[in-house]
Amino acid sequence: MAFEHLWHGEISPFFPFLTAANDPSEMAVAFHEMATVGTSMAVLVTAVWAVMTVVSDKILKRKPKETAKLGGDAV
């Protein structure tokens, strides 16, 4: 994501580092976008991570199925 901001010229190498922070009228829009889009992205990524962690734990803790024995040794 940082690379995308850099690619579109939204980051400057000097303070205030974000080009939207240079103009006070653009700052309000930028902060609103960070608060809404940024927060929703963080919540979504955290939720996907949590679900993947639970699924991974369930897969690792699952007992292997017993092989069906057909008249002696399992093949």
Side-chain angles (χ1 to χ4, degrees):
M1 199 63 190
F3 179 75
E4 186 270 338
H5 287 298
L6 183 65
W7 184 266
H8 288 102
E10 299 168 343
I11 300 173
S12 62
F14 48 86
F15 187 80
F17 305 112
L18 298 173
T19 56
N22 292 332
D23 184 10
S25 64
E26 290 182 16
M27 240 166 57
V29 174
F31 286 141
H32 181 264
E33 184 178 347
M34 283 185 240
T36 56
V37 176
T39 302
S40 62
M41 286 173 59
V43 168
L44 178 66
V45 167
T46 304
V48 169
W49 169 81
V51 169
M52 289 176 61
T53 302
V54 169
V55 169
S56 175
D57 283 346
K58 288 188 184 274
I59 289 172
L60 290 175
K61 290 180 181 178
R62 185 171 47 181
K63 293 181 181 178
K65 295 179 182 178
E66 292 184 32
T67 57
K69 296 190 179 191
L70 302 172
D73 295 326
V75 178

